[in-house]
Structure formats: structure tokens, C-alpha cells
Amino acid sequence: MEHSNETQKASSPSNSMITGQCRCGCVTYEFPKAAGLDINDKDMGELYRILIIPPEKQKFPERGGNSNKWRANHCHCAACTQTAGALVVSWAYIPLAHLKVNRKEKTGIYRASNHASREFCQICGSCLFFQEDGDKDGVDVTLATITTPNLFNHFEPANHTWLEDVADVVLDEHGKGGGFATLCNDGLPRFKQSGQQSIISTNK
């Protein structure tokens, strides 16, 4: 990850910015709220029209004041869940042009696969960023490290990915509910892998 050990000074947080940090605060970051970005602006480019979900395509547009939200996804791949120690890890892909990071200490880089790097705080261990090799456009940010209140006023979960990695986890417990089923019972599309492959199911 090219920006892993370089410090980009984050400006003072404002009402137009989303902020986040690792648990100990050695790494902080910020980027604009999607509500303040116009996806119809010709200078924004196609990338933003993919990453930003307008109110008419949101499940609960009233949450967040009928404004644009950043697209997010819930990942269940083994690399994400094992490195974070969680059953699911939620991410949002943010353009590097808008992401400002302040690193007070040198961060660590871990490669859980041969095609991407994960950046974490070496003091507290918080998993912060994920970047595919060769990607010069953006980086994935863990939603759990965002400190801006009312998280889902600013992010719209779009799908569940890599369900094939948790195929051995009971999904419905013979109709009893609970367990892992509660994590996926939100009506979002569910994909075996990254979201480019065939859908397992779409709950209605």
C-alpha cells in the first residue's frame, strides 16, 4: 500500500467531513460526506456514480435526510474475518483524492492474499484500510473505525460478499433464526464471492 507510511495531514473536522481513527488514536483519517458531492457533475467521473448511492436508490433514504450516501458492503471472506477477528467486516471504498490520513506512528502492512494489502495500527491492532495491488483510485475503509455519529446516515450497505467462505456456518438453524442468519437477514443481495459472480439469493 503506497501511502502506508506517509503522513497526510488531516484538516480540522467539519460538518461536511466523515472522520475515523484506530482504537488508540495514533491513526486518524477523514473524507467528505457523500451528501456534499454532486454525482451529476461532469468532473466527478464514473467512479463516483458507482460509489455514491442517491436517495432514490436507498433502502431508507429518510435516514440521512434524503441525501447521497457512500456505498458499503459486508464482507464475509476468510481473510477479512480472520484478520479482524469478526464474523463480518463492513467496508466502504473511498477515492484516494478525498481521503486524508494522519499517522502519528508507523503502521503495519499485512498481505492476507497475493493481490492486496491491509493496513493496521501497530499500537492497538485496529484494521483500517484495504487496497488492491495497482489500484491508484481508492482504498477500502473499515466502517467500524469511523467515529462520525449516526454511521448509516452516511453509508448505504449494498450487499453481502464472499458467502462461500462461510458455507460451513449454519445460515438458518432449521428455521429457528438467530445465529449467522441474523447477519444476512437484511434483504441485501448475497454473493458467493466478490459480487461479480453469481448471486446466492436476494431476500425480498
Side-chain angles (χ1 to χ4, degrees):
M1 192 175 299
E2 290 186 0
H3 66 290
S4 62
N5 294 320
E6 297 179 359
T7 298
Q8 304 171 5
K9 288 293 183 181
S11 59
S12 298
S14 69
N15 289 335
S16 64
M17 304 298 286
I18 290 172
T19 58
Q21 66 171 62
C22 64
R23 179 61 182 172
C24 69
C26 281
V27 181
T28 59
Y29 62 86
E30 67 175 23
F31 55 89
K33 294 178 180 178
L37 302 176
D38 182 6
I39 59 175
N40 295 315
D41 186 334
K42 63 179 181 180
D43 294 328
M44 293 301 288
E46 184 61 28
L47 177 63
Y48 288 86
R49 285 183 273 278
I50 296 173
L51 299 180
I52 295 176
I53 301 181
E56 62 270 21
K57 295 184 178 180
Q58 296 171 16
K59 190 172 183 180
F60 301 107
E62 65 280 2
R63 182 167 189 175
N66 289 287
S67 300
N68 291 336
K69 298 179 184 179
W70 289 107
R71 178 184 299 273
N73 84 289
H74 303 306
C75 185
H76 304 269
C77 79
C80 281
T81 57
Q82 290 174 355
T83 54
L87 285 175
V88 59
V89 180
S90 300
W91 300 90
Y93 183 86
I94 305 300
L96 282 174
H98 284 299
L99 179 65
K100 295 181 180 179
V101 184
N102 181 17
R103 301 168 178 84
K104 297 178 182 177
E105 300 287 344
K106 183 177 180 180
T107 54
I109 298 296
Y110 177 66
R111 293 181 64 81
S113 63
N114 61 4
H115 60 83
S117 298
R118 297 164 188 270
E119 184 176 356
F120 62 95
C121 174
Q122 293 194 111
I123 304 300
C124 66
S126 292
C127 177
L128 295 160
F129 310 119
F130 170 95
Q131 190 170 34
E132 292 279 355
D133 293 348
D135 186 351
K136 305 295 184 182
D137 295 323
V139 62
D140 284 283
V141 175
T142 49
L143 292 193
T145 59
I146 289 172
T147 54
T148 297
N150 302 313
L151 182 69
F152 292 106
N153 284 2
H154 311 294
F155 297 90
E156 181 77 4
N159 52 47
H160 291 269
T161 57
W162 289 98
L163 267 296
E164 72 173 18
D165 278 15
V166 288
D168 59 338
V169 179
V170 177
L171 291 180
D172 71 9
E173 296 186 350
H174 306 291
K176 295 180 180 179
F180 194 77
T182 61
L183 297 177
C184 297
N185 191 25
D186 52 15
L188 296 178
R190 295 158 56 188
F191 298 88
K192 290 183 178 180
Q193 295 184 6
S194 66
Q196 303 302 316
Q197 291 77 18
S198 60
I199 297 176
I200 294 179
S201 67
T202 302
N203 300 327
K204 299 295 185 182

PDB file of all heavy atoms in Angstrom, residues 168-201:
ATOM      1  N   ASP A 168     -19.840 -23.257   5.740  1.00  0.00           N
ATOM      2  CA  ASP A 168     -19.938 -24.244   6.813  1.00  0.00           C
ATOM      3  C   ASP A 168     -20.594 -23.670   8.068  1.00  0.00           C
ATOM      4  O   ASP A 168     -20.728 -24.352   9.080  1.00  0.00           O
ATOM      5  CB  ASP A 168     -18.560 -24.796   7.161  1.00  0.00           C
ATOM      6  CG  ASP A 168     -17.586 -23.706   7.604  1.00  0.00           C
ATOM      7  OD1 ASP A 168     -17.823 -22.534   7.250  1.00  0.00           O
ATOM      8  OD2 ASP A 168     -16.611 -24.021   8.289  1.00  0.00           O
ATOM      9  N   VAL A 169     -20.994 -22.384   8.002  1.00  0.00           N
ATOM     10  CA  VAL A 169     -21.687 -21.775   9.127  1.00  0.00           C
ATOM     11  C   VAL A 169     -23.189 -21.907   8.899  1.00  0.00           C
ATOM     12  O   VAL A 169     -23.686 -21.596   7.827  1.00  0.00           O
ATOM     13  CB  VAL A 169     -21.325 -20.280   9.267  1.00  0.00           C
ATOM     14  CG1 VAL A 169     -22.084 -19.641  10.430  1.00  0.00           C
ATOM     15  CG2 VAL A 169     -19.826 -20.124   9.470  1.00  0.00           C
ATOM     16  N   VAL A 170     -23.908 -22.398   9.888  1.00  0.00           N
ATOM     17  CA  VAL A 170     -25.347 -22.598   9.741  1.00  0.00           C
ATOM     18  C   VAL A 170     -26.020 -21.263   9.458  1.00  0.00           C
ATOM     19  O   VAL A 170     -25.875 -20.305  10.217  1.00  0.00           O
ATOM     20  CB  VAL A 170     -25.944 -23.235  11.019  1.00  0.00           C
ATOM     21  CG1 VAL A 170     -27.458 -23.369  10.881  1.00  0.00           C
ATOM     22  CG2 VAL A 170     -25.319 -24.600  11.248  1.00  0.00           C
ATOM     23  N   LEU A 171     -26.807 -21.201   8.364  1.00  0.00           N
ATOM     24  CA  LEU A 171     -27.413 -19.947   7.970  1.00  0.00           C
ATOM     25  C   LEU A 171     -28.820 -19.738   8.508  1.00  0.00           C
ATOM     26  O   LEU A 171     -29.248 -18.621   8.698  1.00  0.00           O
ATOM     27  CB  LEU A 171     -27.431 -19.841   6.442  1.00  0.00           C
ATOM     28  CG  LEU A 171     -26.065 -19.669   5.777  1.00  0.00           C
ATOM     29  CD1 LEU A 171     -26.228 -19.591   4.270  1.00  0.00           C
ATOM     30  CD2 LEU A 171     -25.365 -18.413   6.277  1.00  0.00           C
ATOM     31  N   ASP A 172     -29.565 -20.819   8.728  1.00  0.00           N
ATOM     32  CA  ASP A 172     -30.931 -20.576   9.212  1.00  0.00           C
ATOM     33  C   ASP A 172     -31.317 -21.418  10.429  1.00  0.00           C
ATOM     34  O   ASP A 172     -32.404 -21.267  10.961  1.00  0.00           O
ATOM     35  CB  ASP A 172     -31.946 -20.803   8.096  1.00  0.00           C
ATOM     36  CG  ASP A 172     -32.108 -22.272   7.715  1.00  0.00           C
ATOM     37  OD1 ASP A 172     -31.579 -23.154   8.414  1.00  0.00           O
ATOM     38  OD2 ASP A 172     -32.786 -22.533   6.715  1.00  0.00           O
ATOM     39  N   GLU A 173     -30.440 -22.293  10.866  1.00  0.00           N
ATOM     40  CA  GLU A 173     -30.661 -23.113  12.056  1.00  0.00           C
ATOM     41  C   GLU A 173     -32.036 -23.789  12.036  1.00  0.00           C
ATOM     42  O   GLU A 173     -32.809 -23.744  12.982  1.00  0.00           O
ATOM     43  CB  GLU A 173     -30.489 -22.268  13.328  1.00  0.00           C
ATOM     44  CG  GLU A 173     -29.081 -21.756  13.495  1.00  0.00           C
ATOM     45  CD  GLU A 173     -28.854 -21.049  14.817  1.00  0.00           C
ATOM     46  OE1 GLU A 173     -29.837 -20.788  15.530  1.00  0.00           O
ATOM     47  OE2 GLU A 173     -27.684 -20.785  15.135  1.00  0.00           O
ATOM     48  N   HIS A 174     -32.331 -24.393  10.862  1.00  0.00           N
ATOM     49  CA  HIS A 174     -33.574 -25.166  10.698  1.00  0.00           C
ATOM     50  C   HIS A 174     -34.821 -24.326  10.995  1.00  0.00           C
ATOM     51  O   HIS A 174     -35.785 -24.794  11.596  1.00  0.00           O
ATOM     52  CB  HIS A 174     -33.555 -26.412  11.594  1.00  0.00           C
ATOM     53  CG  HIS A 174     -32.354 -27.277  11.387  1.00  0.00           C
ATOM     54  ND1 HIS A 174     -32.140 -28.003  10.239  1.00  0.00           N
ATOM     55  CD2 HIS A 174     -31.259 -27.504  12.171  1.00  0.00           C
ATOM     56  CE1 HIS A 174     -30.990 -28.654  10.325  1.00  0.00           C
ATOM     57  NE2 HIS A 174     -30.434 -28.361  11.468  1.00  0.00           N
ATOM     58  N   GLY A 175     -34.764 -23.073  10.548  1.00  0.00           N
ATOM     59  CA  GLY A 175     -35.925 -22.209  10.713  1.00  0.00           C
ATOM     60  C   GLY A 175     -36.045 -21.559  12.075  1.00  0.00           C
ATOM     61  O   GLY A 175     -37.009 -20.838  12.339  1.00  0.00           O
ATOM     62  N   LYS A 176     -35.103 -21.811  12.952  1.00  0.00           N
ATOM     63  CA  LYS A 176     -35.179 -21.242  14.298  1.00  0.00           C
ATOM     64  C   LYS A 176     -34.714 -19.791  14.355  1.00  0.00           C
ATOM     65  O   LYS A 176     -34.954 -19.107  15.328  1.00  0.00           O
ATOM     66  CB  LYS A 176     -34.337 -22.078  15.270  1.00  0.00           C
ATOM     67  CG  LYS A 176     -34.854 -23.494  15.456  1.00  0.00           C
ATOM     68  CD  LYS A 176     -33.958 -24.247  16.433  1.00  0.00           C
ATOM     69  CE  LYS A 176     -34.437 -25.674  16.636  1.00  0.00           C
ATOM     70  NZ  LYS A 176     -33.565 -26.415  17.562  1.00  0.00           N
ATOM     71  N   GLY A 177     -34.006 -19.341  13.300  1.00  0.00           N
ATOM     72  CA  GLY A 177     -33.493 -17.975  13.306  1.00  0.00           C
ATOM     73  C   GLY A 177     -32.290 -17.851  14.220  1.00  0.00           C
ATOM     74  O   GLY A 177     -31.788 -18.836  14.764  1.00  0.00           O
ATOM     75  N   GLY A 178     -31.829 -16.636  14.399  1.00  0.00           N
ATOM     76  CA  GLY A 178     -30.658 -16.423  15.236  1.00  0.00           C
ATOM     77  C   GLY A 178     -29.383 -16.860  14.547  1.00  0.00           C
ATOM     78  O   GLY A 178     -29.358 -17.154  13.360  1.00  0.00           O
ATOM     79  N   GLY A 179     -28.321 -16.933  15.306  1.00  0.00           N
ATOM     80  CA  GLY A 179     -27.039 -17.356  14.752  1.00  0.00           C
ATOM     81  C   GLY A 179     -26.602 -16.467  13.601  1.00  0.00           C
ATOM     82  O   GLY A 179     -26.867 -15.270  13.579  1.00  0.00           O
ATOM     83  N   PHE A 180     -25.941 -17.052  12.626  1.00  0.00           N
ATOM     84  CA  PHE A 180     -25.407 -16.294  11.498  1.00  0.00           C
ATOM     85  C   PHE A 180     -26.512 -15.704  10.639  1.00  0.00           C
ATOM     86  O   PHE A 180     -26.315 -14.707   9.957  1.00  0.00           O
ATOM     87  CB  PHE A 180     -24.522 -17.207  10.648  1.00  0.00           C
ATOM     88  CG  PHE A 180     -23.669 -16.461   9.664  1.00  0.00           C
ATOM     89  CD1 PHE A 180     -22.527 -15.795  10.087  1.00  0.00           C
ATOM     90  CD2 PHE A 180     -24.002 -16.418   8.327  1.00  0.00           C
ATOM     91  CE1 PHE A 180     -21.739 -15.104   9.183  1.00  0.00           C
ATOM     92  CE2 PHE A 180     -23.214 -15.730   7.418  1.00  0.00           C
ATOM     93  CZ  PHE A 180     -22.082 -15.070   7.850  1.00  0.00           C
ATOM     94  N   ALA A 181     -27.702 -16.310  10.666  1.00  0.00           N
ATOM     95  CA  ALA A 181     -28.807 -15.829   9.841  1.00  0.00           C
ATOM     96  C   ALA A 181     -29.134 -14.377  10.136  1.00  0.00           C
ATOM     97  O   ALA A 181     -29.543 -13.625   9.252  1.00  0.00           O
ATOM     98  CB  ALA A 181     -30.042 -16.699  10.066  1.00  0.00           C
ATOM     99  N   THR A 182     -28.953 -13.958  11.363  1.00  0.00           N
ATOM    100  CA  THR A 182     -29.309 -12.590  11.726  1.00  0.00           C
ATOM    101  C   THR A 182     -28.405 -11.567  11.056  1.00  0.00           C
ATOM    102  O   THR A 182     -28.781 -10.405  10.912  1.00  0.00           O
ATOM    103  CB  THR A 182     -29.252 -12.395  13.253  1.00  0.00           C
ATOM    104  OG1 THR A 182     -27.912 -12.650  13.705  1.00  0.00           O
ATOM    105  CG2 THR A 182     -30.210 -13.334  13.963  1.00  0.00           C
ATOM    106  N   LEU A 183     -27.201 -11.983  10.631  1.00  0.00           N
ATOM    107  CA  LEU A 183     -26.285 -11.063   9.971  1.00  0.00           C
ATOM    108  C   LEU A 183     -26.649 -10.838   8.515  1.00  0.00           C
ATOM    109  O   LEU A 183     -26.227  -9.856   7.915  1.00  0.00           O
ATOM    110  CB  LEU A 183     -24.846 -11.589  10.053  1.00  0.00           C
ATOM    111  CG  LEU A 183     -24.238 -11.719  11.451  1.00  0.00           C
ATOM    112  CD1 LEU A 183     -22.848 -12.324  11.353  1.00  0.00           C
ATOM    113  CD2 LEU A 183     -24.176 -10.364  12.132  1.00  0.00           C
ATOM    114  N   CYS A 184     -27.386 -11.762   7.928  1.00  0.00           N
ATOM    115  CA  CYS A 184     -27.689 -11.688   6.495  1.00  0.00           C
ATOM    116  C   CYS A 184     -29.174 -11.514   6.214  1.00  0.00           C
ATOM    117  O   CYS A 184     -29.584 -11.545   5.064  1.00  0.00           O
ATOM    118  CB  CYS A 184     -27.194 -12.953   5.793  1.00  0.00           C
ATOM    119  SG  CYS A 184     -25.415 -13.191   5.860  1.00  0.00           S
ATOM    120  N   ASN A 185     -29.972 -11.379   7.219  1.00  0.00           N
ATOM    121  CA  ASN A 185     -31.415 -11.285   7.042  1.00  0.00           C
ATOM    122  C   ASN A 185     -31.855  -9.830   6.892  1.00  0.00           C
ATOM    123  O   ASN A 185     -32.728  -9.339   7.598  1.00  0.00           O
ATOM    124  CB  ASN A 185     -32.133 -11.934   8.227  1.00  0.00           C
ATOM    125  CG  ASN A 185     -33.619 -12.096   7.985  1.00  0.00           C
ATOM    126  OD1 ASN A 185     -34.055 -12.174   6.842  1.00  0.00           O
ATOM    127  ND2 ASN A 185     -34.393 -12.133   9.058  1.00  0.00           N
ATOM    128  N   ASP A 186     -31.212  -9.121   5.949  1.00  0.00           N
ATOM    129  CA  ASP A 186     -31.495  -7.701   5.765  1.00  0.00           C
ATOM    130  C   ASP A 186     -32.003  -7.382   4.375  1.00  0.00           C
ATOM    131  O   ASP A 186     -32.198  -6.225   4.020  1.00  0.00           O
ATOM    132  CB  ASP A 186     -30.249  -6.868   6.057  1.00  0.00           C
ATOM    133  CG  ASP A 186     -29.028  -7.355   5.284  1.00  0.00           C
ATOM    134  OD1 ASP A 186     -29.201  -8.136   4.324  1.00  0.00           O
ATOM    135  OD2 ASP A 186     -27.910  -6.958   5.641  1.00  0.00           O
ATOM    136  N   GLY A 187     -32.215  -8.413   3.556  1.00  0.00           N
ATOM    137  CA  GLY A 187     -32.760  -8.199   2.228  1.00  0.00           C
ATOM    138  C   GLY A 187     -31.756  -7.787   1.176  1.00  0.00           C
ATOM    139  O   GLY A 187     -32.112  -7.588   0.013  1.00  0.00           O
ATOM    140  N   LEU A 188     -30.471  -7.665   1.536  1.00  0.00           N
ATOM    141  CA  LEU A 188     -29.462  -7.260   0.562  1.00  0.00           C
ATOM    142  C   LEU A 188     -29.031  -8.439  -0.298  1.00  0.00           C
ATOM    143  O   LEU A 188     -29.084  -9.591   0.138  1.00  0.00           O
ATOM    144  CB  LEU A 188     -28.237  -6.681   1.286  1.00  0.00           C
ATOM    145  CG  LEU A 188     -28.452  -5.397   2.074  1.00  0.00           C
ATOM    146  CD1 LEU A 188     -27.153  -4.995   2.765  1.00  0.00           C
ATOM    147  CD2 LEU A 188     -28.940  -4.276   1.172  1.00  0.00           C
ATOM    148  N   PRO A 189     -28.588  -8.187  -1.532  1.00  0.00           N
ATOM    149  CA  PRO A 189     -28.066  -9.264  -2.385  1.00  0.00           C
ATOM    150  C   PRO A 189     -26.913  -9.978  -1.695  1.00  0.00           C
ATOM    151  O   PRO A 189     -26.125  -9.355  -0.976  1.00  0.00           O
ATOM    152  CB  PRO A 189     -27.575  -8.518  -3.627  1.00  0.00           C
ATOM    153  CG  PRO A 189     -28.391  -7.276  -3.663  1.00  0.00           C
ATOM    154  CD  PRO A 189     -28.588  -6.883  -2.215  1.00  0.00           C
ATOM    155  N   ARG A 190     -26.821 -11.295  -1.920  1.00  0.00           N
ATOM    156  CA  ARG A 190     -25.781 -12.111  -1.298  1.00  0.00           C
ATOM    157  C   ARG A 190     -25.002 -12.830  -2.386  1.00  0.00           C
ATOM    158  O   ARG A 190     -25.587 -13.519  -3.229  1.00  0.00           O
ATOM    159  CB  ARG A 190     -26.408 -13.110  -0.324  1.00  0.00           C
ATOM    160  CG  ARG A 190     -27.097 -12.452   0.861  1.00  0.00           C
ATOM    161  CD  ARG A 190     -28.124 -13.354   1.510  1.00  0.00           C
ATOM    162  NE  ARG A 190     -27.542 -14.616   1.928  1.00  0.00           N
ATOM    163  CZ  ARG A 190     -28.263 -15.639   2.381  1.00  0.00           C
ATOM    164  NH1 ARG A 190     -29.578 -15.539   2.449  1.00  0.00           N
ATOM    165  NH2 ARG A 190     -27.672 -16.754   2.751  1.00  0.00           N
ATOM    166  N   PHE A 191     -23.679 -12.649  -2.388  1.00  0.00           N
ATOM    167  CA  PHE A 191     -22.827 -13.198  -3.427  1.00  0.00           C
ATOM    168  C   PHE A 191     -21.875 -14.260  -2.884  1.00  0.00           C
ATOM    169  O   PHE A 191     -21.393 -14.152  -1.757  1.00  0.00           O
ATOM    170  CB  PHE A 191     -22.003 -12.082  -4.082  1.00  0.00           C
ATOM    171  CG  PHE A 191     -22.831 -11.035  -4.777  1.00  0.00           C
ATOM    172  CD1 PHE A 191     -23.303  -9.936  -4.073  1.00  0.00           C
ATOM    173  CD2 PHE A 191     -23.137 -11.153  -6.123  1.00  0.00           C
ATOM    174  CE1 PHE A 191     -24.062  -8.969  -4.703  1.00  0.00           C
ATOM    175  CE2 PHE A 191     -23.898 -10.191  -6.764  1.00  0.00           C
ATOM    176  CZ  PHE A 191     -24.365  -9.099  -6.066  1.00  0.00           C
ATOM    177  N   LYS A 192     -21.602 -15.261  -3.700  1.00  0.00           N
ATOM    178  CA  LYS A 192     -20.661 -16.305  -3.305  1.00  0.00           C
ATOM    179  C   LYS A 192     -19.261 -15.730  -3.120  1.00  0.00           C
ATOM    180  O   LYS A 192     -18.514 -16.147  -2.233  1.00  0.00           O
ATOM    181  CB  LYS A 192     -20.616 -17.404  -4.360  1.00  0.00           C
ATOM    182  CG  LYS A 192     -21.869 -18.263  -4.442  1.00  0.00           C
ATOM    183  CD  LYS A 192     -21.701 -19.363  -5.474  1.00  0.00           C
ATOM    184  CE  LYS A 192     -22.922 -20.259  -5.538  1.00  0.00           C
ATOM    185  NZ  LYS A 192     -22.763 -21.338  -6.555  1.00  0.00           N
ATOM    186  N   GLN A 193     -18.893 -14.792  -4.007  1.00  0.00           N
ATOM    187  CA  GLN A 193     -17.545 -14.228  -3.929  1.00  0.00           C
ATOM    188  C   GLN A 193     -17.613 -12.710  -3.876  1.00  0.00           C
ATOM    189  O   GLN A 193     -18.330 -12.157  -3.039  1.00  0.00           O
ATOM    190  CB  GLN A 193     -16.701 -14.748  -5.098  1.00  0.00           C
ATOM    191  CG  GLN A 193     -16.485 -16.259  -5.019  1.00  0.00           C
ATOM    192  CD  GLN A 193     -15.576 -16.795  -6.099  1.00  0.00           C
ATOM    193  OE1 GLN A 193     -14.991 -16.053  -6.873  1.00  0.00           O
ATOM    194  NE2 GLN A 193     -15.441 -18.111  -6.150  1.00  0.00           N
ATOM    195  N   SER A 194     -16.895 -12.027  -4.761  1.00  0.00           N
ATOM    196  CA  SER A 194     -16.708 -10.590  -4.602  1.00  0.00           C
ATOM    197  C   SER A 194     -17.895  -9.730  -4.997  1.00  0.00           C
ATOM    198  O   SER A 194     -17.887  -8.531  -4.778  1.00  0.00           O
ATOM    199  CB  SER A 194     -15.499 -10.136  -5.424  1.00  0.00           C
ATOM    200  OG  SER A 194     -15.770 -10.293  -6.803  1.00  0.00           O
ATOM    201  N   GLY A 195     -18.910 -10.316  -5.605  1.00  0.00           N
ATOM    202  CA  GLY A 195     -20.037  -9.527  -6.072  1.00  0.00           C
ATOM    203  C   GLY A 195     -20.118  -9.519  -7.581  1.00  0.00           C
ATOM    204  O   GLY A 195     -21.120  -9.110  -8.159  1.00  0.00           O
ATOM    205  N   GLN A 196     -19.067  -9.999  -8.224  1.00  0.00           N
ATOM    206  CA  GLN A 196     -19.079 -10.097  -9.693  1.00  0.00           C
ATOM    207  C   GLN A 196     -19.574 -11.474 -10.140  1.00  0.00           C
ATOM    208  O   GLN A 196     -19.854 -11.690 -11.287  1.00  0.00           O
ATOM    209  CB  GLN A 196     -17.675  -9.857 -10.248  1.00  0.00           C
ATOM    210  CG  GLN A 196     -17.077  -8.512  -9.842  1.00  0.00           C
ATOM    211  CD  GLN A 196     -17.936  -7.346 -10.271  1.00  0.00           C
ATOM    212  OE1 GLN A 196     -18.417  -7.322 -11.385  1.00  0.00           O
ATOM    213  NE2 GLN A 196     -18.142  -6.397  -9.372  1.00  0.00           N
ATOM    214  N   GLN A 197     -19.647 -12.403  -9.182  1.00  0.00           N
ATOM    215  CA  GLN A 197     -20.078 -13.753  -9.512  1.00  0.00           C
ATOM    216  C   GLN A 197     -21.581 -13.901  -9.253  1.00  0.00           C
ATOM    217  O   GLN A 197     -22.248 -12.976  -8.850  1.00  0.00           O
ATOM    218  CB  GLN A 197     -19.297 -14.789  -8.692  1.00  0.00           C
ATOM    219  CG  GLN A 197     -17.823 -14.890  -9.066  1.00  0.00           C
ATOM    220  CD  GLN A 197     -16.993 -13.760  -8.511  1.00  0.00           C
ATOM    221  OE1 GLN A 197     -17.419 -13.090  -7.592  1.00  0.00           O
ATOM    222  NE2 GLN A 197     -15.832 -13.542  -9.102  1.00  0.00           N
ATOM    223  N   SER A 198     -22.074 -15.097  -9.469  1.00  0.00           N
ATOM    224  CA  SER A 198     -23.499 -15.331  -9.368  1.00  0.00           C
ATOM    225  C   SER A 198     -24.003 -15.102  -7.932  1.00  0.00           C
ATOM    226  O   SER A 198     -23.318 -15.352  -6.963  1.00  0.00           O
ATOM    227  CB  SER A 198     -23.827 -16.775  -9.771  1.00  0.00           C
ATOM    228  OG  SER A 198     -23.165 -17.688  -8.935  1.00  0.00           O
ATOM    229  N   ILE A 199     -25.232 -14.613  -7.849  1.00  0.00           N
ATOM    230  CA  ILE A 199     -25.866 -14.337  -6.566  1.00  0.00           C
ATOM    231  C   ILE A 199     -26.367 -15.637  -5.957  1.00  0.00           C
ATOM    232  O   ILE A 199     -26.954 -16.465  -6.619  1.00  0.00           O
ATOM    233  CB  ILE A 199     -27.046 -13.366  -6.763  1.00  0.00           C
ATOM    234  CG1 ILE A 199     -26.533 -12.027  -7.296  1.00  0.00           C
ATOM    235  CG2 ILE A 199     -27.814 -13.159  -5.470  1.00  0.00           C
ATOM    236  CD1 ILE A 199     -27.635 -11.047  -7.613  1.00  0.00           C
ATOM    237  N   ILE A 200     -26.129 -15.820  -4.654  1.00  0.00           N
ATOM    238  CA  ILE A 200     -26.709 -16.960  -3.939  1.00  0.00           C
ATOM    239  C   ILE A 200     -28.206 -16.736  -3.833  1.00  0.00           C
ATOM    240  O   ILE A 200     -29.007 -17.592  -4.175  1.00  0.00           O
ATOM    241  CB  ILE A 200     -26.098 -17.089  -2.524  1.00  0.00           C
ATOM    242  CG1 ILE A 200     -24.616 -17.451  -2.638  1.00  0.00           C
ATOM    243  CG2 ILE A 200     -26.839 -18.126  -1.716  1.00  0.00           C
ATOM    244  CD1 ILE A 200     -23.932 -17.577  -1.293  1.00  0.00           C
ATOM    245  N   SER A 201     -28.597 -15.593  -3.322  1.00  0.00           N
ATOM    246  CA  SER A 201     -30.006 -15.277  -3.210  1.00  0.00           C
ATOM    247  C   SER A 201     -30.185 -13.800  -2.917  1.00  0.00           C
ATOM    248  O   SER A 201     -29.270 -13.138  -2.461  1.00  0.00           O
ATOM    249  CB  SER A 201     -30.659 -16.092  -2.066  1.00  0.00           C
ATOM    250  OG  SER A 201     -30.145 -15.685  -0.819  1.00  0.00           O
TER     251      SER A 201
END
